[in-house]
Amino acid sequence: MSDANDSVAQLLAQARLEASIPPHEERVRLRKAAGFSLEQIGAAVGVTRAAVSSWEKPRTEGGNEPRGDQRTRYARLLSGLAEIHPPPASPHRDAAAEAAAQGPADTASAPPPVAPPRRQTAQAPTPTVTAESPAARQARTAHHRHHAARRTTSAEQARSELAAHIDDTIETELARAAGDQDAAAQALVKRAIPDVMALFHHTRKQARYEHTAYPRLPAILQRPTKNDPDLIWEARPSWRHPQLRRSPDGPFHVTALDVNAAYLAAFTTHLPIGRLEHSADGTRDPKRAGFYLIDPPAWFHPDLPHPLGNREEPGPLWIGEPTLRLLLRLAGPKHGLLEAPTIHESWTSGSSEGLLKQLRATLADARTEALEADNDVKLEYIKAMYSKFVSTLGESVHNREIVRPDWTHLIRSQAFANLWNRAHKAHEAGLGVVAVLGTDELHVAGDWRQAFNEGRGLGDMKIKHDREGHPVDYTVKETA
């Protein structure tokens, strides 16, 4: 019962904080009083300069309001600035105080008093603002530094506890298997789903909001039958260069590269928090995430695959947030590789890029430790946890704790978008992009180490090996 009371108290505290966000003109005053730029506020809250600028304007002037966790951070920042820079004393209050000090006025000659503007609620007198002494400033700086250190220490401690839990689980299975590593690895893979869900719930304990585990699904996410897919197009690449020719210097060598832990890296993506809501106005709110019905833009680049993958059917299609973000970026002035897609309608919800942040960090740390210790049992266990987490988030009989097929689509789409970005990086570095396949396979011609770091970390690339452990490379002589 105490946990329930704590949750209620947290929700009420969040509601009070978000309800206290001041009017637009006060937001501007607080920022300027503190000497902060729009860029500094945006960096602190996690948004762009333009977003902060829109928050400081009313809707009648083209402004907007913050939402979700960004609103919570912005409200907390403004609340802290209001304590440091309270509003100036009201001139009506100052006039009244001066009149009282001078005694009764001559009512025969004095002009009629001007009534102060009516207020909706009574306000306490504003305390007199005095300059902050050097000692007080030092105390305030140390106070903020202390609490920032405590937050960092708390996050590190939580990750350390989760890491210890993972190690204890592995040791338990090794003991049960009497040291047989193959048997222990098999047992760990079998329990990977409930174990990763336990980790996920633990990482969400201190979250500012709770995600909806069983939202009502729109028709586009409902499968007609068990064997039929829903309507979401994930943009999975399956591409080989269509015009391979003999190079002027003769045949050229191709190396197949492998993206490390592609799905784990894709945990960093914008995920909808609650139930998806429909919109038919053809607009996009960057603070929301979900799915969009678009007209696919034409693609004319001769040496790179279409970012939508191998789409055979013409006409509109439903894509996820990562795919749309990729298309819009490629349509921007920096690249100009295609026309911006036309959005017809959407299903979106308020979103967060940090829903899986701590889970990703925990599994990434454990994966790094397994690689450094050459611990194959631990590495297999970690891989099973993040891969099965993605594959069973939707309607799976193996995971009854959550039904979020929208998350599954978006994480996969993010992995495919990440792979396309790597192909583009290789092309920009002068490499020949020969093939882009699946979730993690990139074939290139040329010195690939000039574009990518070689290793097994999340941001590295490694040479792909076949089942016998041989590197996958080949020579292209002419068009197949």
Side-chain angles (χ1 to χ4, degrees):
M1 189 64 183
S2 60
D3 292 340
N5 290 334
D6 291 343
S7 299
V8 170
Q10 291 174 3
L11 287 176
L12 288 174
Q14 179 181 346
R16 293 190 187 98
L17 178 63
E18 296 188 0
S20 66
I21 192 166
H24 301 87
E25 61 274 10
E26 178 65 4
R27 304 173 197 180
V28 176
R29 188 196 70 80
L30 289 172
R31 176 175 62 78
K32 292 183 177 180
F36 293 146
S37 65
L38 293 170
E39 289 84 356
Q40 288 174 301
I41 298 294
V45 179
V47 298
T48 63
R49 175 189 185 278
V52 179
S53 178
S54 71
W55 295 347
E56 293 184 353
K57 300 176 183 177
R59 292 188 182 275
T60 56
E61 299 178 8
N64 207 340
E65 285 296 317
R67 296 181 180 179
D69 56 343
Q70 293 171 352
R71 181 179 178 86
T72 302
R73 290 195 295 269
Y74 189 48
R76 184 178 296 113
L77 175 60
L78 294 176
S79 178
L81 292 178
E83 294 178 1
I84 301 172
H85 302 284
S90 168
H92 298 291
R93 195 160 44 241
D94 290 347
E98 183 179 354
Q102 293 177 354
D106 184 355
T107 57
S109 59
V114 178
R118 297 182 62 183
R119 297 179 181 273
Q120 297 298 324
T121 56
Q123 295 185 354
T126 303
T128 302
V129 180
T130 57
E132 188 176 40
S133 68
R137 187 180 306 111
Q138 181 180 2
R140 175 168 54 83
T141 302
H143 178 79
H144 292 321
R145 187 168 56 243
H146 169 75
H147 284 281
R150 286 190 62 185
R151 286 193 297 270
T152 303
T153 303
S154 177
E156 292 176 350
Q157 181 179 357
R159 286 168 61 177
S160 176
E161 291 174 354
L162 292 177
H165 177 73
I166 291 173
D167 290 337
D168 290 344
T169 301
I170 295 172
E171 291 298 325
T172 298
E173 293 299 340
L174 281 171
R176 289 177 179 172
D180 187 333
Q181 294 195 359
D182 290 338
Q186 292 177 8
L188 288 167
V189 169
K190 288 182 179 179
R191 59 178 294 176
I193 296 173
D195 286 359
V196 73
M197 289 306 301
L199 287 178
F200 171 65
H201 291 313
H202 187 84
T203 61
R204 299 300 302 163
K205 280 185 177 180
Q206 303 301 323
R208 289 187 297 270
Y209 47 79
E210 182 58 50
H211 64 278
T212 305
Y214 299 94
R216 187 176 63 187
L217 298 176
I220 61 171
L221 287 168
Q222 295 175 4
R223 301 167 60 181
T225 67
K226 180 179 179 181
N227 297 322
D228 291 328
D230 57 34
L231 297 181
I232 305 303
W233 180 255
E234 294 179 347
R236 184 186 186 94
S238 179
W239 180 86
R240 295 181 183 276
H241 201 296
Q243 296 179 337
L244 290 178
R245 295 290 188 269
R246 185 186 297 274
S247 69
D249 300 325
F252 57 89
H253 187 74
V254 178
T255 304
L257 301 178
D258 196 18
V259 177
N260 298 312
Y263 279 148
L264 180 58
F267 277 18
T268 302
T269 190
H270 295 265
L271 296 176
I273 299 170
R275 182 171 62 88
L276 300 176
E277 299 172 342
H278 184 253
S279 173
D281 60 8
T283 62
R284 171 179 174 266
D285 185 345
K287 303 179 184 66
R288 299 173 68 84
F291 303 93
Y292 303 83
L293 181 63
I294 69 161
D295 286 330
W299 181 254
F300 303 105
H301 200 295
D303 299 314
L304 286 172
H306 197 305
L308 285 176
N310 292 33
R311 176 73 177 181
E312 298 177 357
E313 294 293 330
L317 73 160
W318 286 96
I319 63 171
E321 185 75 27
T323 310
L324 180 64
R325 286 176 179 264
L326 175 60
L327 294 177
L328 293 176
R329 183 168 63 84
L330 297 181
K334 181 178 180 180
H335 300 290
L337 294 177
L338 44 69
E339 296 293 330
T342 299
I343 300 175
H344 295 288
E345 52 186 285
S346 64
W347 284 92
T348 63
S349 170
S351 69
S352 172
E353 198 177 12
L355 276 170
L356 305 180
K357 180 179 179 180
Q358 190 172 351
L359 178 63
R360 179 187 186 274
T362 299
L363 295 177
D365 290 346
R367 181 180 178 275
T368 300
E369 292 172 0
L371 290 171
E372 292 176 348
D374 199 21
N375 188 335
D376 292 337
V377 174
K378 185 174 183 177
L379 191 61
E380 191 72 17
Y381 178 44
I382 300 301
K383 181 178 180 180
M385 280 202 284
Y386 67 72
S387 62
K388 290 179 180 293
F389 179 78
V390 176
S391 63
T392 65
L393 277 175
E395 298 173 282
S396 171
V397 297
H398 303 291
N399 189 348
R400 302 293 190 182
E401 296 189 51
I402 191 169
V403 179
R404 293 301 307 242
D406 50 340
W407 289 11
T408 296
H409 281 305
L410 294 174
I411 295 172
R412 286 175 175 168
S413 296
Q414 185 65 63
F416 302 148
N418 290 346
L419 180 60
W420 194 96
N421 286 330
R422 289 175 182 266
H424 183 256
K425 181 179 180 179
H427 174 75
E428 291 290 294
L431 303 177
V433 180
V434 178
V436 185
L437 306 169
T439 309
D440 55 9
E441 194 169 342
L442 176 64
H443 297 207
V444 296
D447 182 11
W448 61 272
R449 292 178 179 85
Q450 66 177 311
F452 304 107
N453 292 325
E454 183 176 13
R456 301 185 70 180
L458 284 185
D460 301 333
M461 299 282 279
K462 64 179 183 291
I463 297 177
K464 193 174 185 65
H465 289 72
D466 59 22
R467 293 183 178 180
E468 286 73 34
H470 304 300
V472 178
D473 54 358
Y474 51 92
T475 299
V476 172
K477 299 180 179 179
E478 56 187 0
T479 302

